[in-house]
Amino acid sequence: MNETADRTASGKASRVAPEDRLDAQIGYNLRRASALALNDFAVELADAALRPVTYGMLALIDERPGIRAAELCRLLGMKSANMAPLLAELEERGLVERDDHAQDRRVQVLALTKAAKAAMPAWRRQVRRHEDRLLERLTKKSGQRCCACCG
């Protein structure tokens, strides 16, 4: 076994191979990157009170006005039972309008309200800033490593 030169808090040499260390594991690093992304997103969009899932819903509705609720669920990989309360929240906040489909009244089509349409460009810029910060931390461009997966 290839021992690391690292010492534990007690001063003993670690008996864990570098490739087996926690900070070398993909799942661990993906979880850390996810937590970093979620926290930064929350800070960036705090004023708008948007979470990644609600922003994603609004962005897709903006890109596809008149999208069916079922199609939105499919594109976001969500169950309709999980989507319904989120749509209700966005509707209550005056961001989304739901209308019956012209040919099939059982189908709901979605559109952004005027207020949401006006706010989307600023929200998209905020998300780009958030993603730029995240990518900077995840690449060598910053000259620092956030985790072992960043090299």
Side-chain angles (χ1 to χ4, degrees):
M1 179 191 296
N2 203 2
E3 290 186 16
T4 68
D6 292 344
R7 300 273 175 197
T8 65
S10 66
K12 295 180 181 178
S14 174
R15 299 190 71 65
V16 178
E19 64 274 13
D20 291 336
R21 290 177 48 137
L22 181 62
D23 65 1
Q25 296 174 2
I26 294 169
Y28 173 75
N29 285 299
L30 287 173
R31 176 65 184 105
R32 287 189 60 199
S34 175
L36 173 71
L38 290 172
N39 289 338
D40 189 75
F41 189 98
V43 169
E44 182 67 49
L45 282 106
D47 291 345
L50 292 176
R51 302 178 307 279
V53 67
T54 53
Y55 171 78
M57 292 168 67
L58 292 170
L60 277 174
I61 295 168
D62 186 39
E63 294 165 18
R64 300 171 182 222
I67 189 172
R68 296 175 181 203
E71 179 69 358
L72 186 63
C73 286
R74 188 186 68 74
L75 290 171
L76 292 173
M78 296 177 66
K79 295 180 181 178
S80 60
N82 296 333
M83 173 83 60
L86 295 172
L87 279 174
E89 172 192 329
L90 294 174
E91 192 173 30
E92 287 171 20
R93 291 180 54 192
L95 300 174
V96 169
E97 298 172 333
R98 294 192 255 193
D99 290 311
D100 292 332
H101 188 275
Q103 287 82 28
D104 188 347
R105 298 185 66 81
R106 297 170 296 174
V107 175
Q108 289 186 326
V109 293
L110 307 168
L112 296 184
T113 62
K114 286 182 183 181
K117 284 180 196 173
M120 276 307 295
W123 292 339
R124 287 184 187 277
R125 283 190 301 276
Q126 287 178 277
V127 169
R128 277 195 305 274
R129 278 194 305 266
H130 151 72
E131 290 192 340
D132 287 346
R133 278 192 308 274
L134 181 64
L135 287 174
E136 185 175 332
R137 289 192 68 183
L138 295 177
T139 64
K140 292 180 183 180
K141 179 172 70 172
S142 70
Q144 299 174 348
R145 290 180 20 179
C146 68
C147 55
C149 69
C150 297

